[in-house]
Amino acid sequence: MTALPASAASAFSPVHTPATTRRRMGTPWHWSLLVMAVAAAILTAWGVGGSMSDYYASIALSMSRSWPNFLFGSFDPAGTITLDKIPGSFWIPALTVRIFGFSPAAVIIPNALAAAIAAVVTAITARRWAGITSGLVGGAVVATTPILVAVARSNQPETFFVLALALTAWAATHALRRASFGWLVLAGVFIAAGFQTYMLEAWAVWPALAVAYLCTRQPWWRRVWHVAVSAALSLVLSLGWIIAVSLVPASDRPYIGSTLTNNPWETVFGYNGLGRFGSTTADSAAYRSFTPPFSGTPSAVRLLNGSLADQIGWLIPTAILAIVILAVLRFRLPLLVFGAVWFVTFAGMFSLVAGMHQFYTASMAIPMALLTGAAFAWARRRGILWAQIALPAVAATTALIISLSVASDRGAAFSLPIAVAQVLVAVAVVAAVVVDHRRAHPRLLTAVVAAIAMLLTPASWAVVTMWSPNSTNPTAAGVASVSGIGGFGGFGPGTGGGAPGATGLGGPGSGASGSGSGTSGPLGAGHPGDGFSRSGGQTGASTDGARERSSGPGTGTRNSGGFAASSGEAGTGAAATVAWLTEHQQGTAYLAATFGAQSAASLILASDGGSFLPIGGFDERDPAPTLAAFQTLIADGKLRYVIAGNGGFGGGGGPSGGLGGTDNASTTAGQIRTWVVANCTEVIDAPMSGLYSCGS
């Protein structure tokens, strides 16, 4: 075989030019995205478990047990009653549990990854707004938003909504830049997907999207037509779950939780809609009202109060300045309108709602990140000196003010020196920006330092959150988690914990859960409380996922971990109870009935999906089952044991043992409790008190 000449051989060899080498190795932008994704994943997913809510964990476990449970969002494996919202946020965790089996990681890691992906998607979107610098700053804002990191490390239903918003922004950006009907429709589809996770809050993006699209350059009738059609399609897709559930006869599906009429329309538009704005929109005859008491009184400056300033409010002054800068510099009008109206709408909504968890505001990270990243990048592109200086200066000053306001609190004292360092970095940015301006050559290093000057202190709050779990009301370990309800209790040793067997980081006697009086939960696992009851009474209950109950005098413990319990004692008690009930089940469909879903949740987890009947649902106020249906279950041999909760770990809080005061004869749960005490026999040899045997 004749060898080819060297010149001919080289003609068939690949040419390694610098451009092809960069394409193979990736550009700085792609490497930056990778670093951002890894950093966000570490912040949200490393060492998770301590912030797991039993209530939401039992939902994921129950939904994994059957496809009907999966569709309806059943709280219990037997499909008796649903959770109190559309179950979209739990579909991915339920699938994870179905594939890999139940564990704290199985129900939390999906949320963590959703937050990390949201940061990357936001970075990609922000790059479309104003270039690579905009993308890097915007993505970094989302990745380090303290409250988003905190809720992503839990199984609370928020991060899939944030991801849906990030995807909405991505599609909307294409629609606005191209005046594209197809991309507008896709943005509406993502809004509908967000509706399945957080319901009406998702629709709050539509005003911004509609107004922005009307600012695109095309005939007015076409703009109106495009908005009308895409909004109508988004509406239909949003209502898909509600319509599907409504078409199923009530006898063939679980009772819709937290409703008066077993109606999915009521749970979305009443309980989770108008019912969240307090007495202003309350209608006790049509729907229930529920306002979590964690974020202070509604006001124009609520997002800057002691409970929210370090969670999300830290970026608000910078975002407002960003809007001004973009307007002055005549940024692309549709994108500016989209970001500004979105930000104002969400800020107004969270300022007016009667009560909320701090983590509801995590969704504001997306529009504020887009605005901040675009403003800084656009100012650099235009060579506007004052704007490049003002953004990091305002961000650093805001962080310093927040840190100074709580410098005396030992749990947040770490924030002050970091804020001072952030101010010094901002001063360095001023010098770097001036040098770049004189050279007429902006350097990448200056942009990186500017991002640090804007995000250093909030990033530290996000990092510390990795060691401060809270299953009731996840907040970042900054200011609000010290001074607000259910927050971080300091750096000293605590009695609480994270994952089973873990040791908490709270202050003495407080676990990692912060303020409020804590007592033990239905299985001895307590949660931070604030004396608030969903029924309006002072029962020491917390909200949305973990409740505070008493296990009898002198036996209360604190916990923020939220698994069956973070202490070995509680876990042992749960296992003993489940073992006893299993041994004495005698072929019944249910191992036992409990009053309230909170009591049943820990037992469902401890039994790996055993059937427990949650009388009264989430707060013991749902009329499910009725007294007649309950008596039928007893008569038919489907149920024998009832944990009435008169002092044992299975219930609590004295004779009522419930969250909604179930001794009240006006509630179905109260009527059932009265009947049980009068007609059933208390079991003496069980490992918990308050257990009754009904029937033969």
Side-chain angles (χ1 to χ4, degrees):
M1 181 176 179
T2 304
L4 289 173
S7 58
S10 64
F12 292 94
S13 301
V15 179
H16 296 284
T17 66
T20 57
T21 301
R22 284 195 300 269
R23 280 196 296 269
R24 288 185 176 185
M25 297 181 62
T27 65
W29 163 249
H30 294 111
W31 283 109
S32 299
L33 279 183
L34 178 61
V35 171
M36 183 185 303
V38 172
I42 291 174
L43 276 175
T44 57
W46 186 270
V48 296
S51 293
M52 189 187 77
S53 158
D54 284 5
Y55 174 72
Y56 288 128
S58 62
I59 290 169
L61 177 58
S62 298
M63 288 172 60
S64 73
R65 288 297 188 254
S66 71
W67 294 118
N69 284 2
F70 182 85
L71 170 64
F72 296 121
S74 177
F75 162 77
D76 61 302
T80 307
I81 196 165
T82 72
L83 76 162
D84 58 350
K85 51 183 65 71
I86 296 178
S89 290
F90 301 96
W91 283 331
I92 299 300
L95 288 175
T96 305
V97 172
R98 188 178 183 91
I99 295 170
F100 298 105
F102 177 81
S103 68
V107 295
I108 296 178
I109 291 296
N111 287 2
L113 295 180
I117 295 171
V120 173
V121 172
T122 302
I124 294 171
T125 303
R127 185 188 181 191
R128 292 282 181 179
W129 280 44
I132 291 178
T133 298
S134 175
L136 295 179
V137 173
V141 167
V142 175
T144 59
T145 295
I147 191 59
L148 178 57
V149 172
V151 74
R153 296 182 60 82
S154 76
N155 58 331
Q156 297 280 351
E158 176 72 27
T159 55
F160 280 102
F161 175 59
V162 174
L163 176 57
L165 293 182
L167 292 170
T168 299
W170 171 72
T173 296
H174 284 283
L176 297 175
R177 284 171 56 91
R178 304 179 183 182
S180 168
F181 174 61
W183 282 102
L184 183 64
V185 168
L186 183 59
V189 170
F190 285 131
I191 290 176
F195 190 91
Q196 308 312 311
T197 63
Y198 242 62
M199 298 162 290
L200 296 177
E201 189 177 332
W203 283 356
V205 182
W206 257 117
L209 180 56
V211 174
Y213 195 81
L214 293 176
C215 294
T216 58
R217 294 181 178 180
Q218 53 183 322
W220 67 268
W221 60 267
R222 183 178 298 168
R223 286 175 277 171
V224 173
W225 172 251
H226 287 180
V227 169
V229 172
S230 57
L233 178 60
S234 180
L235 173 65
V236 172
L237 293 176
S238 297
L239 300 179
W241 183 87
I242 304 176
I243 294 172
V245 174
S246 298
L247 294 176
V248 178
S251 59
D252 295 332
R253 59 167 171 79
Y255 185 92
I256 305 300
S258 296
T259 65
L260 300 172
T261 59
N262 194 12
N263 189 330
W265 296 92
E266 178 190 334
T267 193
V268 173
F269 293 96
Y271 176 79
N272 285 296
L274 295 174
R276 297 290 174 138
F277 288 88
S279 58
T280 304
T281 58
D283 184 356
S284 59
Y287 51 82
R288 293 181 184 155
S289 296
F290 175 45
T291 55
F294 292 107
S295 299
T297 304
S299 72
V301 294
R302 181 198 218 170
L303 296 175
L304 299 175
N305 69 18
S307 296
L308 290 166
D310 68 327
Q311 306 299 305
I312 197 67
W314 59 276
L315 192 58
I316 288 178
T318 308
I320 294 174
L321 175 61
I323 294 173
V324 173
I325 291 172
L326 292 172
V328 171
L329 301 185
R330 302 179 66 85
F331 185 66
R332 301 181 179 96
L333 183 61
L335 294 178
L336 172 58
V337 169
F338 177 57
V341 175
W342 185 356
F343 165 71
V344 171
T345 302
F346 272 52
M349 176 174 62
F350 292 129
S351 297
L352 292 175
V353 68
M356 63 179 181
H357 288 276
Q358 288 98 323
F359 62 75
Y360 292 0
T361 63
S363 56
M364 291 184 64
I366 305 300
M368 291 198 295
L370 293 172
L371 291 167
T372 303
F376 183 75
W378 197 249
R380 281 175 61 79
R381 178 180 296 185
R382 298 283 298 274
I384 307 300
L385 190 63
W386 68 268
Q388 297 178 67
I389 294 174
L391 284 167
V394 168
T397 302
T398 304
L400 180 62
I401 292 173
I402 294 174
S403 298
L404 282 171
S405 67
V406 292
S408 60
D409 292 332
R410 63 187 177 89
F414 74 93
S415 180
L416 184 55
I418 296 176
V420 172
Q422 183 175 346
V423 171
L424 295 177
V425 175
V427 173
V429 169
V430 173
V433 167
V434 171
V435 171
D436 286 359
H437 183 71
R438 290 177 177 177
R439 293 179 176 178
H441 180 67
R443 294 171 296 176
L444 178 61
L445 178 61
T446 301
V448 173
V449 175
I452 295 174
M454 287 188 276
L455 302 174
L456 181 60
T457 305
S460 72
W461 295 332
V463 170
V464 175
T465 300
M466 297 173 67
W467 293 277
S468 56
N470 190 314
S471 64
T472 304
N473 185 47
T475 54
V479 179
S481 50
V482 175
S483 60
I485 297 175
F488 185 67
F491 287 98
T495 59
T503 301
L505 291 171
S510 68
S513 51
S515 61
S517 59
T519 55
S520 85
L523 296 181
H527 299 288
D530 57 6
F532 178 85
S533 169
R534 280 179 59 148
S535 61
Q538 292 278 335
T539 65
S542 61
T543 57
D544 265 16
R547 293 290 179 180
E548 177 185 60
R549 301 170 73 97
S550 169
S551 62
T555 62
T557 58
R558 299 289 300 268
N559 168 42
S560 67
F563 190 45
S566 65
S567 66
E569 178 182 355
T572 302
T577 299
V578 170
W580 191 95
L581 291 171
T582 302
E583 181 182 353
H584 296 79
Q585 185 176 9
Q586 298 181 352
T588 57
Y590 293 95
L591 284 170
T594 69
F595 285 88
Q598 300 301 325
S599 298
S602 297
L603 291 168
I604 291 173
L605 296 182
S607 61
D608 193 27
S611 291
F612 289 86
L613 177 66
I615 300 172
F618 184 67
D619 58 1
E620 305 179 27
R621 297 169 63 201
D622 293 340
T626 63
L627 176 58
F630 178 83
Q631 292 171 333
T632 300
L633 290 174
I634 298 294
D636 292 346
K638 296 181 179 180
L639 174 66
R640 178 178 181 183
Y641 294 106
V642 180
I643 302 175
N646 61 346
F649 78 85
S656 70
L659 303 172
T662 55
D663 281 339
N664 189 340
S666 64
T667 67
T668 299
Q671 296 168 6
I672 292 175
R673 184 187 295 277
T674 300
W675 185 88
V676 167
V677 173
N679 295 277
C680 302
T681 303
E682 185 169 7
V683 179
I684 306 301
D685 62 344
M688 86 294 289
S689 60
L691 178 67
Y692 286 80
S693 174
C694 304
S696 56

